[in-house]
Each structure stands twice: as structure tokens, then as C-alpha cells.
Amino acid sequence: MSGETSHQAHIGPYRLLSRLGGGTGDVHRAAGPDGRDVAIRLLPPGAAPDVARMREVLSPYVADVLDGEAAGPRPYVVFRFVPGRPLAETVAGQGPMSGDALRRMAFGLAKALAAIHLTGLAHGELGPGTVLVVDDAPVVVDFALTAGADAGDDVSAWAATVAFAATGRPDAPAEALPADLRPLVAAASHPDPAARPSAAELAEASSRLKLPAPAPRPAEAPAAPAAPAGPAAPGPAAERETAAHETAAHDMAVTLGWARLLAAMVVVAGVGVVIMLPIAGLVLTLVAVTLLRVAGTTARGWAWAFGRTLLTVPYAAVFTVAVPLGLAAASAVGGKLDSLTACAFGAGAGAAVLWTAPGVSAPRRQLERMFLPVARRPRAVAAAVVGLGVLCLLVGVGAMTLTPSFSPTYGLQRTLESSMDRLQHAVNRV
């Protein structure tokens, strides 16, 4: 059905219950066809949320995306309903955060952004109004609704949001922040987006923060006699929420682990193919990593992806040349070196650099994101592991036993073979 709500009680299969607020479009509390409590964010006409990718975001610190409609006159996104108060209201009512509460806020926001960025999305509107506080922990809502959002901008928004939580002001001076928090906020606010830490790095650093506990408030009047002090036991709701957060975090870690394994197996198979077919394999690798970069960016597109790939080519070329030279040098110690095999292994090393060398992680991470839907389903991931395992075995056997083919550049093949033979002969004479 249409997204218009003023004269209708439903949006698609969802029955509207009450209006919750504004922001990027209107948001309503609603009931799903199964009775589930949800929040529906109505977006302006022409918006095109990537609902499929938004559903891949898995974190106890991010509201789950359950459904959505990207087409039609009024797009909408359906989030899990989060029964929390906005951070702005929490700070206004209870005052700025400090101690463990502030550390949990900084850590949870960073983990939320890391989970969003892992899927290739960015929040775009992180702030006190898009962070709900549930049992003293943050839950981020309304992410990836704006076009052209950037991960670097999210990191800067993290700094402003944490500063607001600590002081009640997003533009608070550094001296108003706890001493241990100042370097992180300063780094995340760096004018150069490339110099800012990633969300994952912020989460790691935030987990080690030691922030001072709030100073006790002076007594305003004599208090009535109280029962002997003791540790406050969490209520059943808090216990259930904590257990749900822990379960979700564990499930996310398992899913990411499987996705990383499947991506690694694809890379291993790809490198094996390059060893068997060095020229054709390297061309295919360049095309593949460029396409993955295009798929993993939200706004930069082909020019940026192609430029990033070109920047890694000299890096890969160093290894492509160094590995055959190293093997030729090693042949001086003893043993016969097949010249074409040495060149093929050099090509394989160059391909590995294009995929996943230090500082070159975008193609591998995008592969991991692509495998997330498979990694969530046990049967699917088992079938994928078996299939890719067999492929890696076959490709590995072929790479170790077959003579490399430099088709279609047979002239280059003869030149490489002749050059390596001369080099090996010179090394052996020394």
C-alpha cells in the first residue's frame, strides 16, 4: 500500500499504532502481521534505502532492520521497536554521563558503527537524537537513510555524540572531557577524514578506557533510615536485555567468522588459478577487486574504485618480481628451479597482494559482506564450506602439478623463461 498515513491505518502489512517522531521522514510505532512491535520510518519520495544490506547489520547496539520498501511513492524501513529514551532526553533528565556509563556509551556507539561499516553502509545521521538508551547501553537507530553518507563522517559524529554524553554539549572544549577520553575524541574529530581511526579501532580503544566515577551529590536533607546497603540486583527485564545482547553479540561473532572463512577460501582459490594461468588470472583478479570495491562503496563509484586498484598495482608488482628472484637465489643452495613455475608463483604472490595484503583490505571485506547471508544459515554455510573446500583442493593440486600457461602472451612466456634461465645460470656460477 501507499506510504501515506494521514488517512490510512496501515502501511503494507503493518498496522499503525502511534506516531513517535520526526527526523528523516516520519516514524510510527506499528504492529506487524505476526503481532511483533516495530517502528516504521517513512522516507521522503525518491529515497532509495538499501534494505537488503541494512538487514545484514548485526549488532546488539543497532536496531535490527526487519523489512522495508525502497520503491513506490513513499519508501519506508521497518526497524525492531526499541523501548528506550533518546540520548538527548536522557542527558537532559539525568545530566551528563561519567564513569562506566560513559565508557559503555563510547564503546557501544563505536561497535554499532563498526557493524554498520562492515556491510559497506554508513549511518549518516548519528547524534543524540538517533541513539536510544536501553538499560544504560546505547542502541543506534535510523542508520543508512541519507545518500552519500561516509564512514569518516560517522567517526566524527561519534566524537560529537560522546562529547555530548559527557558534557551535555556536542561542541564541548577538550578540557571539559575526562582526560582518558580526550585523545580518542580528538583523533575522531581530526580535520582530515583519512587520519581518523576506524570505528573498530575506536571500539577497541574505548573498551580500555578508565573514566572517573561521578562525584557523589551533596545531601540536601537528612535521609530516612534505609535498609543495609548491598549490591542492587538487576531486574528481570534488565537480565533479559543483557542476555539478549550477549546472545546477539555471540551470534554476530560466529556469523562473521564463517563469512571470513568463506572469503579466505575464495582468495586461496583465486591465487591458485593465477598460478596456473598467470596472465589471464592477474587480469581477472584486477577486474574482480575493482568490482568488489565498487560494490563496497556508497558514493564514490567507478573512478574511486579503479584508482584504488591502480594504487595497489605497484605494490603487487614488487612481490611479483621479488618472489621469482628469491627463488632463483635459493636455487644456488641446491636444487633445480623451473623458470616458468617461479614466474607463476610470483604472479600468485602479486594476486595475493591485490586481495589482502596489509593496507589492502577492501576487496576481502566486501567478500565477507557478500557471504554474510550465507553465513547466517547453518546448512548453507556447511554446503559453501564443502564446495569451496573441494575447489581449493583441486586448484591447489593443479597449481602444484600443472605447467603454468601464460596464454595468450606466448612471446612473454618465452622471454620470461629465457630470462629466468640466464639468471639461474648466473646465480649458480657465483
Side-chain angles (χ1 to χ4, degrees):
M1 296 182 69
S2 168
E4 297 295 328
T5 63
S6 58
H7 302 292
Q8 297 180 354
H10 287 76
I11 297 177
Y14 300 94
R15 180 168 56 89
L16 302 184
L17 301 176
S18 61
R19 190 174 186 275
L20 296 176
T24 303
D26 298 328
V27 61
H28 294 259
R29 187 172 181 175
D34 56 356
R36 180 184 297 187
D37 214 2
V38 301
I40 299 183
R41 172 67 72 178
L42 300 176
L43 302 177
D50 191 341
V51 177
R53 189 174 291 186
M54 292 169 74
R55 295 185 66 176
E56 295 177 3
V57 177
L58 300 173
S59 172
Y61 301 104
V62 182
D64 299 329
V65 171
L66 307 176
D67 193 6
E69 177 59 61
R74 192 70 187 270
Y76 65 89
V77 178
V78 181
F79 291 90
R80 171 176 61 89
F81 179 74
V82 179
R85 296 177 64 193
L87 176 61
E89 293 183 12
T90 301
V91 172
Q94 301 178 6
M97 295 180 173
S98 58
D100 285 342
L102 181 56
R103 181 190 62 79
R104 286 193 297 269
M105 178 60 60
F107 172 75
L109 292 179
K111 290 291 286 185
L113 290 180
I116 294 170
H117 296 170
L118 184 62
T119 65
L121 299 173
H123 190 293
E125 290 188 330
L126 183 69
T130 56
V131 177
L132 302 180
V133 181
V134 181
D135 292 335
D136 295 328
V139 178
V140 170
V141 298
D142 294 344
F143 63 92
L145 300 180
T146 58
D150 183 81
D153 294 337
D154 280 353
V155 170
S156 178
W158 175 91
T161 306
V162 171
F164 174 85
T167 66
R169 297 171 50 193
D171 57 348
E175 56 270 18
L177 300 174
D180 282 3
L181 186 58
R182 293 172 196 168
L184 273 185
V185 170
S189 306
H190 197 284
D192 181 6
R196 297 169 189 164
S198 67
E201 291 168 338
L202 285 175
E204 175 66 23
S206 297
S207 68
R208 299 192 300 268
L209 286 173
K210 296 187 183 298
L211 303 177
R217 293 182 179 179
E220 297 181 358
E239 291 178 351
R240 288 194 298 269
E241 188 71 24
T242 300
H245 283 184
E246 292 176 350
T247 300
H250 176 267
D251 292 345
M252 181 178 67
V254 171
T255 299
L256 292 178
W258 282 118
R260 287 167 182 158
L261 174 62
L262 295 174
M265 295 173 78
V266 169
V267 172
V268 168
V271 171
V273 169
V274 172
I275 293 175
M276 290 187 291
L277 302 166
I279 302 301
L282 282 174
V283 171
L284 290 175
T285 300
L286 288 168
V287 172
V289 297
T290 302
L291 290 175
L292 287 170
R293 283 193 170 95
V294 171
T297 184
T298 56
R300 291 166 176 165
W302 279 98
W304 176 86
F306 187 67
R308 290 289 296 175
T309 299
L310 286 180
L311 288 176
T312 63
V313 169
Y315 189 6
V318 171
F319 285 82
T320 302
V321 173
V323 167
L325 293 179
L327 292 175
S331 69
V333 179
K336 180 175 176 57
L337 172 69
D338 180 78
S339 300
L340 290 181
T341 299
C343 292
F345 274 98
V353 169
L354 291 172
W355 278 112
T356 186
V360 185
S361 60
R364 185 194 74 246
R365 288 182 178 176
Q366 181 58 22
L367 269 181
E368 294 171 2
R369 297 177 195 125
M370 293 172 64
F371 277 120
L372 280 175
V374 176
R376 289 175 180 160
R377 305 192 298 273
R379 291 185 179 180
V381 77
V385 168
V386 171
L388 287 175
V390 171
L391 176 63
C392 288
L393 177 62
L394 294 176
V395 170
V397 171
M400 299 302 296
T401 59
L402 299 178
T403 301
S405 172
F406 285 75
S407 173
T409 56
Y410 294 107
L412 175 62
Q413 176 175 333
R414 290 191 294 270
T415 300
L416 289 173
E417 187 172 20
S418 175
S419 299
M420 288 298 297
D421 286 342
R422 289 197 298 272
L423 176 62
Q424 184 177 6
H425 181 68
V427 168
N428 289 333
R429 289 181 58 188
V430 175

